């Protein structure tokens, strides 16, 4: 299982246009939920599965085979608008000096890498290759993605059905377990992908795997069935919602009811107070805590709601 830190999660979200402050009080679990929504928004899932429908699956089995563009998909998998292209050009010109700057977090390139992955899959499919491997620089984390088939959601939107497997090497010797695909194959090319980018791709594959109905179940031993959709820039209205830093520690996630604060000494039943509770509340108090059978409180102590009759001489 590939895990990343909270800081890297924030960088990945930032790469998708969801900017949150580095000191946010959001937990990792909340950020993961934001990431899942961002992944759906980038794939425009709700244009395929309307959000007002209870249905959560895409019945791939009834979709037609992809045939647009003579069956080629490389130039149909990216949803780059002219605004994206202009923004990319500006970033390239302004950031050329930072190409070799190691201070830039790897997570900041995660979304660009996901989009690039789709281009790589398109190249592989159009060239007749069965898939690709994404591997990090240390050769300790890799993702095998095999293309099963291409179906058509509509004449502009291919759905790339894949089988995938993630492998980790804890030995440091580059021993990655790909099961029956362990031995190198000349027709499956490897591409360098940093771990935050692998993490984002894996989260997308895992989320999409849950949208495949049981009626459609092609098997590739040792690999998991999923799919990928074309990806584009998330709409500003969506990034605005996802970027709201509106999580409060004292609100229940489901009901919105405020969690009851711990009881203060003056809120406790009288029988639960102790000497330590009453100590020091009033320099004029005399006697012992009010719940004691030997208490002989002064008038000053009785007048204090915080600790009736419970003072300890100072």
């Amino acid at each position: 299982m590939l895990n990343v830190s909270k800081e890297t999660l924030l960088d990945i979200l930032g790469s998708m246009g969801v900017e949150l402050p580095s000191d946010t009080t959001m937990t990792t679990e909340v950020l993961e939920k934001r990431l899942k929504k961002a992944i759906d928004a980038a794939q425009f899932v709700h244009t395929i599965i309307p959000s007002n429908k209870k249905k959560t699956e895409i019945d791939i089995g009834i979709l037609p085979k992809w045939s647009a563009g003579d069956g080629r998909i490389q130039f149909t998998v990216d949803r780059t608008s002219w605004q994206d292209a202009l923004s990319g050009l500006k970033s390239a010109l302004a950031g050329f000096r930072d190409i070799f700057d190691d201070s830039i977090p790897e997570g900041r390139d995660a979304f660009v890498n996901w989009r690039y992955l789709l281009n790589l899959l398109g190249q592989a499919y159009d060239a007749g290759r069965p898939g690709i491997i994404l591997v990090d620089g240390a050769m300790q984390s890799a993702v095998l993605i095999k293309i099963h088939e291409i179906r058509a959601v509509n004449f502009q939107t291919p759905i790339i059905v894949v089988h995938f497997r993630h492998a980790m090497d804890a030995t440091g010797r580059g021993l990655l377990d790909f099961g029956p695909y362990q031995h190198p194959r000349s027709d499956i090319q490897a591409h360098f992908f940093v771990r935050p980018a692998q993490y984002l791709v894996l989260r997308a594959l895992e989320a999409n795997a849950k949208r495949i109905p049981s009626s459609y179940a092609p098997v590739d031993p040792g690999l998991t069935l999923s799919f990928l959709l074309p990806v584009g820039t998330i709409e500003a209205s969506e990034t605005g919602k996802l970027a709201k830093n509106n999580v409060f520690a004292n609100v229940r996630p489901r009901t919105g009811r405020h969690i009851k604060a711990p009881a203060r000494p003056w809120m406790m039943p009288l029988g639960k107070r102790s000497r330590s509770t009453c100590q020091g509340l009033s320099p004029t108090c005399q006697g012992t805590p009010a719940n004691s059978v030997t208490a002989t409180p002064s008038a000053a102590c009785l007048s204090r709601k915080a600790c009736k009759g419970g003072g300890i001489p100072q």
Side-chain angles (χ1 to χ4, degrees):
M1 177 66 180
L2 184 60
N3 294 309
V4 296
S5 65
K6 179 178 178 179
E7 290 73 19
T8 300
L9 268 178
L10 289 169
D11 288 334
I12 294 173
L13 283 165
S15 76
M16 303 176 78
V18 182
E19 297 288 354
L20 288 161
S22 58
D23 60 349
T24 178
T25 57
M26 292 184 187
T27 64
T28 300
E29 181 182 3
V30 172
L31 291 175
E32 288 280 7
K33 291 179 179 178
R34 295 282 176 106
L35 180 61
K36 184 177 182 299
K37 291 180 179 179
I39 288 171
D40 286 352
Q43 296 184 114
F44 304 97
V45 166
H46 295 308
T47 64
I48 302 171
I49 308 175
S51 57
N52 61 344
K53 299 287 183 66
K54 292 184 178 179
K55 177 184 175 183
T56 59
E57 298 176 339
I58 298 177
D59 197 349
I60 299 175
I62 66 172
L63 297 177
K65 298 281 188 177
W66 178 257
S67 59
D70 296 326
R72 303 172 72 84
I73 66 166
Q74 181 180 353
F75 299 108
T76 62
V77 292
D78 192 23
R79 294 295 190 249
T80 301
S81 64
W82 66 267
Q83 293 98 329
D84 296 334
L86 181 60
S87 176
L89 177 60
K90 288 181 178 178
S91 297
L93 293 173
F96 182 75
R97 65 183 179 275
D98 297 325
I99 291 177
F100 302 103
D101 187 356
D102 292 336
S103 66
I104 298 175
E106 292 180 335
R108 282 285 168 176
D109 292 327
F111 189 48
V112 171
N113 287 339
W114 180 15
R115 299 176 77 161
Y116 179 53
L117 162 67
L118 294 168
N119 188 276
L120 292 175
L121 287 171
Q123 290 180 29
Y125 181 79
D126 293 346
R129 296 191 298 270
I132 61 175
I133 293 177
L134 312 178
V135 61
D136 71 340
M139 291 290 292
Q140 293 182 351
S141 176
V143 183
L144 169 65
I145 303 177
K146 282 193 64 194
I147 303 170
H148 175 68
E149 65 174 346
I150 313 292
R151 298 272 182 150
V153 176
N154 53 49
F155 73 96
Q156 290 182 321
T157 309
I159 180 167
I160 309 173
V161 183
V162 301
H163 288 92
F164 74 97
R165 181 181 178 118
H166 175 240
M168 291 282 293
D169 170 39
T171 67
R173 293 178 293 173
L175 301 176
L176 298 165
D177 179 16
F178 285 126
Y181 301 95
Q182 185 66 26
H183 300 292
R185 291 175 50 164
S186 60
D187 57 353
I188 297 183
Q189 297 180 349
H191 300 270
F192 172 69
F193 260 59
V194 294
R195 290 196 186 189
Q198 290 185 24
Y199 183 83
L200 177 58
V201 169
L202 285 170
R203 294 292 82 78
L205 287 167
E206 290 166 359
N208 290 347
K210 297 175 182 178
R211 295 191 168 103
I212 300 178
S214 57
S215 58
Y216 179 82
V219 175
D220 199 328
L223 308 184
T224 302
L225 178 66
S226 186
F227 64 83
L228 289 167
L229 291 164
V231 170
T233 301
I234 302 174
E235 296 177 359
S237 59
E238 289 296 324
T239 57
K241 294 175 186 176
L242 294 171
K244 287 183 179 179
N245 192 22
N246 56 357
V247 174
F248 300 94
N250 65 332
V251 176
R252 295 182 188 271
R254 292 184 179 178
T255 65
R257 295 173 59 192
H258 288 273
I259 296 174
K260 187 177 180 181
R264 303 295 191 270
W266 54 87
M267 296 169 63
M268 293 182 182
L270 199 59
K272 292 187 178 180
R273 296 178 190 160
S274 62
R275 280 179 174 270
S276 60
T277 301
C278 299
Q279 189 170 1
L281 286 175
S282 172
T284 60
C285 288
Q286 302 292 327
T288 56
N291 53 301
S292 169
V293 294
T294 59
T296 55
S298 65
C301 287
L302 286 172
S303 67
R304 289 186 62 84
K305 293 181 180 180
C307 190
K308 289 186 178 179
I312 299 292
Q314 303 297 305

